[in-house]
Structure formats: C-alpha cells, structure tokens
Amino acid sequence: MKSNYLVFIVCFIVACNTSKSSTPKKSQTNEIENLFFSKVDFKKNKPTPNNYVNSFTLNKDEFLNIHFTLDKPLIESLKLLAPSLSQDQLLNKGNFQFSFLVDGKKVHIENLNKGAGTVDSKTTKLEYMVPLMYPKQIDFWGWFMWLKFMKLSGGQDVFAEGNHSLTIEVRPYLKEEALKVGEILAKGNITIEVAKIPIDESLIPVQEIQPDSGWQLSKDNFDRHKIEVLNRKIAEKRFENINGIVVIKENKLLIEEYFNGENRNSLHNPRSVGKSFASTMLGIAIKENHINSENAFLKDFYKLKSFKNYSSKKDSVTLKSLLTMSSGFLGDDSDYNSPGNEENMYPADNWVKFSLDLPMRKDKTIGKDFTYFTAGVVILGDVIHKSVPEGLISYADKKLFAPLNITNYKWQYTPQKVGNTAGGIQLRAIDFAKYGQLYKNKGKWNGKQIIAEKWVEKSVSKQVSQTYAGIKDGYYGYLFWNKIYTVNGRDYPVSFCSGRGGNKIFIFKNIPFVVVITSSAYNNPNAHANADKMMKEYILPAIIERK
C-alpha cells in the first residue's frame, strides 16, 4: 500500500525508417526543426513520416507521439559535456532533457532519469519514437513525462480554450555537482486546438448535506464558488478518480461531497491510510497496559534468532522504530529492487516471517534514518494482535470503532487472518473524518478519552526527518506524516494520514479543520500531487476565513 510514491518503468520504442522527410531542416530563423508529431496508435500501426501532423485536438484526439532523428548517438553529445568521464559515468549522470514550451513560454523541463532508455538506445540509436498521450496508462517514460507536464507543471491550465503552440526541445544533460546542458539536438512544434470537455453541469453546484450524517451541521460560510470551480475540474477529470471530500470545522460538518459513483454509504479503500490505525491501536494497547511502551524491543515478542539473517542489530529494533519507519530493516517500498519491498511480501505465505527474515542495513541508524517500510507495520499489527484480548480486530472494534459509533467498515486480512495494518481498512469518508477529528480532539470523543493525549501528541509530532515522496522539509510521526501548506503567504502546518491513490485525512494544527479526500486513482502517478493541489488552491482558500 504505497503512500506514494512513483518509480517509472521505462523503455524506448524505436520506429520510423530513415527518409528524406525526417531529415533535419532549418527554419527561416535558422533553427533546427527535426522533431515531428503523429496521432497514430503505435501499438496497432507503425507510424511513418506520412502520419506526421501539424495540429492536435486536446480532449478529443487520443494519441500523440513525437519522432526525432539525431546526427549522432546521445552518448557523443554527453561526451562533449564531460570529456574526462567514462561511458558508464556519462550514462549514470546524464540523459535527454526535454523542454515543453506553450506559446513560447517554458512550462516544463524533464531531465530523464538514468533508467529511461536502454544503454543501446543511448549509444547507437539515431531515430526515436516516443509516445506521449495514450488513452490508458502505458509503461513508457514518455507517457509519464507528458503527464507531469500536464498535471504537475500546469500544462492543462495554460491550455485554455482556443489554439496554442506547443514546442518540444531535446537536449543532452549531465548532472554532477552542477547541471550541464548541451545544445539543442531536436526541436519541433505543433498547434494544439483545445476542445471543450463535455460535462454534466448538475455536478458543479456545492452538494447539499443530506440528513442523518451523525454530525452537527456547521452554519459557517465558505467560498462556495471556489468549491464549484473544484467540482468542475473533478467533473472534467482534471483531478481524476476523486470520490469524496469531507470538511469538518470545529467538530461540525461543513462540506460533504461525493463523485464518480460513490456516496455517503460507500466503503472506501484508502490504502496506506490504514497504517495510521495501527499506531492508534498500539497507543490504546499501551494505555491499557497490554504492551509496556513503544520503546519495547522486537525481541520481547519474537525469538529473532529463529529467523533468517539474524544479527545483533535486530535485537535493538524497537516498536517505536517501526512506528517511525526507521527500523533499519533491508526494506524500501520506493525501491522495487529492495528485498523488503512490499510487492515481495504480498505473495509470501507468512508476511510476518517474510519481514523478520529480512537482513538489517549496516548503513542505517535505528530510530533515525527514515525508509518507507510497509512490512514493518505488518509486524506491528501482529504484535498488537498477540498482545491484546481476543486479537486485533475484536479489540479495535471495542476500543475504537464502537466509541466513535462506526459500525460500517471492513478489514482486509493477512494470510494468517490477522487484520492487515499495511493498509486497506475500508470506512465511509464521513467516518474517516471522525477518526481525524478524534486526533484533532487530542484523543477525546464525546467526553471520553479514547486515546491518551500524550500518545496523540507523540503520534502527530515530528519524530523523524524525511523527504519521501518529495515532501520538502517533511517529518514523520508515529505512522502520521507532517508538512506545511502555504496559502497567500501564510503557513498551515498539518499532520495527515496518506494512502496510495491520493487518499488523505488532514488534521490541521493552527486552524479548526479536519479534511478528508478519498480517491481511487491508485495507478495514477500524480494522485498525491492532485490532492495537494486541490487542498492548496481550492479547499483551503475556500474554508479559511478572509480577514
């Protein structure tokens, strides 16, 4: 269950035979023009120069590819940037740089990851075909590059209705201590005609809150127009696969909206948002003396010498280090080649054994060095399950869900039929809001202390520094994230639960709000960025009181 975070699967598709029509040409301004566009489904038909086009209709045409021919292989251009480096060093530090210009203004620059393209493609090939747009996700770096240009850098915003010019430039780049960029290798442009996206206008107005929500309703105002602008972008699929938005202000329901087939009673899979529930249940178990403290050692619960790859360092692993993703196990969910990557755990017959069999990393300090490690949260779930009366699921129902009056929910299970704390526990969006408000209330609900206030404070505090998933100056607590949103020059610190697909529970620290976003964009690489943009540009500006 990734909180997300993206590893591109990359390769080049080589097409197009050499022909006169693909020979580099000079424009009237003496600039190179040897990059061309086509609108062919490359999986069904091999594009040829006869397919090259000068215009493309955004929101209507489904396919867009670029084609360019080099005078010499990329490696030769990289050598000009650093003649003293070996071929391996050049390929490790450099690749193509793509620049996207709309109406002459640079909107996005992409320095391709070193893994984009094979060694052969960078050392011998001269002709390239790169798919940019395809109606479904494809495992090509060009598809991801276009997505980042459109979604992350604002390409979709600058493409207003009407006609625009899109120019793409290709250069070599090398990144050592400083970034070195070579001369243009390929360049071309195309006219982009923007078609209006047909939508159901009934989806745009702010949705009226229906009765029997279980919350008192807030009578406070908010910027309804800003929310309607957001609703339009969701309807246009500018923000894809958004399912719900719930805003709580001062313990009262302010906004409740549903999209794409979900409603108040829909159970939603928030993926790694479920990890935070493991933190909650551990805190309750400690409060009731079923577990001594988070500083207890893993060796207190397992005979670590009976598992593979035992070392004395494993004896120093604490529950706290598992809570803060700093246990030092050889597991990294951001690295598909890591032995402890969660994708290697799921096929295993016993997830706990898989996790405890992993070796320790010699280069990591327990309790200090953050590495996102889902398998460690599975261990925590098993520790809780073994320590509390009647097991994890029964205990959670009695100690957490029943007090919150949450009756409609669904667990996923490990192969050993233990509640899966890696993620995936399904609740209604409005009940995820209850969970967030419980933390906003410092662990209290309807006058009863469900979670110890001190545990809540430690959970949402800055325990370990981390930059995972591009969170600048980010910190991790006890299976909670921390970051800062800046809106109109003001900072708004927030603790939050996060799950793959853009699922979030935001608990703001200096304003009286809890915000839930549920989303099923599980395979969308910009899902988390979408949630950030929705929060920063629409939701927060709509609900913050304007002085």
Side-chain angles (χ1 to χ4, degrees), residues 221-414:
N221 293 321
F222 59 92
D223 189 338
R224 299 176 74 89
H225 173 71
K226 202 77 176 176
I227 298 300
E228 288 176 349
V229 173
L230 173 59
N231 288 352
R232 183 172 294 278
K233 290 186 179 293
I234 293 172
E236 292 175 344
K237 302 192 183 303
R238 298 288 187 96
F239 298 121
E240 301 97 329
N241 302 115
I242 304 301
N243 298 114
I245 298 173
V246 177
V247 179
I248 307 299
K249 181 179 183 181
E250 296 175 336
N251 209 24
K252 296 179 181 180
L253 181 56
L254 181 68
I255 298 172
E256 184 186 15
E257 305 243 325
Y258 299 100
F259 313 92
N260 294 312
E262 289 202 4
N263 55 54
R264 178 183 286 170
N265 292 319
S266 299
L267 290 179
H268 186 83
N269 185 343
R271 301 297 175 93
S272 287
V273 164
K275 287 182 169 68
S276 300
F277 286 77
S279 172
T280 304
M281 297 319 303
L282 181 62
I284 294 175
I286 291 172
K287 176 174 175 280
E288 297 193 340
N289 297 316
H290 298 300
I291 295 173
N292 183 34
S293 81
E294 71 268 34
N295 295 313
F297 291 103
L298 202 55
K299 66 181 181 179
D300 298 334
F301 303 92
Y302 302 97
K303 295 179 180 179
L304 297 180
K305 290 183 179 180
S306 68
F307 293 91
K308 295 178 182 178
N309 298 304
Y310 170 76
S311 70
S312 59
K313 189 173 184 178
K314 276 189 184 179
D315 290 336
S316 299
V317 175
T318 62
L319 302 186
K320 181 177 178 179
S321 69
L322 294 170
L323 284 168
T324 57
M325 299 280 186
S326 59
S327 62
F329 276 99
L330 186 59
D332 184 351
D333 290 345
S334 68
D335 179 4
Y336 278 105
N337 294 317
S338 172
N341 184 286
E342 64 173 321
E343 299 302 333
N344 296 326
M345 176 185 70
Y346 296 128
D349 294 333
N350 188 317
W351 295 358
V352 174
K353 183 180 185 302
F354 167 89
S355 306
L356 294 175
D357 278 343
L358 292 169
M360 300 295 290
R361 290 186 59 166
K362 296 180 180 180
D363 61 334
K364 294 288 185 179
T365 301
I366 295 173
K368 181 180 178 181
D369 294 329
F370 178 94
T371 304
Y372 196 77
F373 180 49
T374 291
V377 189
V378 172
I379 297 173
L380 280 177
D382 190 63
V383 167
I384 299 167
H385 180 75
K386 293 165 57 173
S387 303
V388 300
E390 300 181 33
L392 171 62
I393 291 178
S394 176
Y395 190 70
D397 184 70
K398 293 176 182 177
K399 301 297 180 178
L400 177 64
F401 296 123
L404 296 181
N405 195 27
I406 296 175
T407 58
N408 188 10
Y409 65 93
K410 183 179 180 180
W411 280 93
Q412 292 182 358
Y413 295 86
T414 71

Side-chain angles (χ1 to χ4, degrees), residues 167-180:
T167 302
I168 295 180
E169 299 173 343
V170 185
R171 296 176 173 84
Y173 88 90
L174 199 70
K175 181 68 167 68
E176 295 183 280
E177 292 182 2
L179 180 68
K180 298 179 182 178

